[in-house]
Amino acid sequence: MVTALVAALAGAALLTAPDPASAARQDTTAATATTTTTSGAPGARGGSVGGVRAVGAARGAPAGPGYYRGRAFDTCEAPSLAVMKAWRSSPYGAVGIYFGGRGRGCPVQRELSRDWVASVHAMGWRLLPLFVGSQAPCVISTAKRPFALGNSPWSQGTREAGEAVRAAGALGLDASSPLYLDIEAYRAGDAPCAVTTLSFVRAWSREVRRLGYVPGFYSSVETGVRDIEAQRRAGTKDLPAVMWFARWGRPALYTETVLDPQAWTPHARIHQYAGNVSEAYGGRRLLIDRNTMDAPVARVAPTAGLKSPLSAP
């Protein structure tokens, strides 16, 4: 996402939120197996298509997703444990991790492992798993063009969803966790390209949901987000359950003009409002994207024998 297209602000309003020092850690991850929340657009055009539904209401099934409201950041490569410890003094309480996909900008994740996931979670961080797989045939970024979709987007989406779930499980990201599909900005107004991309996104979302995880979606408001919202209004099935939209400017979690005010609510929105920003906390500097969110976060499996994350150098 650090390479996401800069979009115009177009009059977005400032999110009303608590003071940054306290807002970042308003953790609402106490969802239980009997909790069921539907998002999308109840009572609006397109019904509740795209809603988040907690997985596993039956006895013994995994608990539903937990939710986090506050500030989040993402960066291309997972930082070291020492950096993550230092950044606990930051206004951020959640972090995006690029855990899989052939289109990742940083495919070599030197720090990212099952122990890393468990350690940062134990520090208090909440995790947003990002999967950067195949991209739209008319993707704008030249770096992403080698990963353009082929002629079988539905089967490709189904296959890559399986890859995402396996990669998530290997990192200890349990069932009911959200997995966010990253589709970078593509050429607006290219109808065949949009149709191909939608087929891939729907197949990926359907399979991720079938395998017990929550399908999320990231893209630019002027391309992927606008197209998915149009499909939601039309009543299309198999859409993502959580919307992570990129429009750089002021935070506008609930006032984005492309989205119906009732769409992807409650607990189903993330707004990336700035990118390629250098920030330092605890003497450790990172290049990040800034986000504000009210959305699902990963459920992390405990790791036996894990060393205390607070003892990281």
Side-chain angles (χ1 to χ4, degrees):
M1 292 185 196
V2 175
T3 58
L5 181 68
V6 179
L9 174 58
L14 178 65
L15 171 69
T16 300
D19 178 78
S22 59
R25 293 176 180 82
Q26 289 191 21
D27 193 354
T28 53
T29 54
T32 66
T34 57
T35 298
T36 301
T37 49
T38 16
S39 60
R45 294 181 295 273
S48 59
V49 174
V52 175
R53 186 178 182 88
V55 180
R59 182 183 298 274
Y67 306 101
Y68 173 80
R69 176 181 168 87
R71 296 190 183 189
F73 77 90
D74 62 271
T75 188
C76 191
E77 186 174 350
S80 69
L81 290 179
V83 172
M84 294 304 293
K85 179 184 175 183
W87 272 54
R88 287 306 288 158
S89 63
S90 77
Y92 303 102
V95 57
I97 54 172
Y98 291 87
F99 75 98
R102 69 191 190 107
R104 279 187 297 180
C106 294
V108 178
Q109 296 281 336
R110 293 167 294 182
E111 301 289 341
L112 190 57
S113 67
R114 192 182 186 95
D115 283 346
W116 185 95
V117 165
S119 294
V120 299
H121 190 261
M123 289 181 195
W125 289 101
R126 296 300 171 252
L127 304 178
L128 303 170
L130 285 148
F131 184 86
V132 191
S134 296
Q135 298 293 306
C138 57
V139 63
I140 293 172
S141 169
T142 55
K144 301 299 182 186
R145 289 175 188 169
F147 312 110
L149 285 161
N151 296 323
S152 302
W154 189 273
S155 60
Q156 214 167 339
T158 302
R159 183 174 65 254
E160 292 190 27
E163 294 173 6
V165 167
R166 288 191 295 274
L171 290 173
L173 304 173
D174 274 351
S176 297
S177 293
L179 305 180
Y180 292 94
L181 177 64
D182 183 329
I183 296 292
E184 293 294 313
Y186 52 88
R187 190 166 58 244
D190 189 326
C193 177
V195 168
T196 297
T197 306
L198 175 65
S199 180
F200 174 80
V201 172
R202 289 182 62 215
W204 191 92
S205 299
R206 181 177 182 175
E207 184 68 1
V208 164
R209 188 178 280 114
R210 187 186 73 81
L211 294 172
Y213 286 73
V214 176
F217 178 73
Y218 165 88
S219 193
S220 162
V221 291
E222 298 301 341
T223 52
V225 173
R226 185 181 294 277
D227 289 343
I228 293 293
E229 168 65 355
Q231 294 300 317
R232 184 201 63 79
R233 290 171 184 252
T236 301
K237 297 181 179 179
D238 298 321
L239 296 182
V242 191
M243 181 62 75
W244 189 336
F245 57 96
R247 186 192 290 278
W248 292 1
R250 300 174 70 202
L253 190 59
Y254 298 112
T255 56
E256 169 52 50
T257 56
V258 166
L259 299 174
D260 185 287
Q262 298 302 313
W264 284 282
T265 62
H267 309 310
R269 287 193 183 196
I270 305 175
H271 179 198
Q272 182 188 93
Y273 62 89
N276 301 330
V277 179
S278 179
E279 293 189 30
Y281 299 97
R284 304 294 186 129
R285 184 168 295 278
L286 292 174
L287 188 67
I288 66 166
D289 296 333
R290 294 171 176 164
N291 306 272
T292 186
M293 64 177 288
D294 179 5
V297 291
R299 292 173 49 81
V300 176
T303 299
L306 179 68
K307 296 179 180 179
S308 171
L310 299 181
S311 64

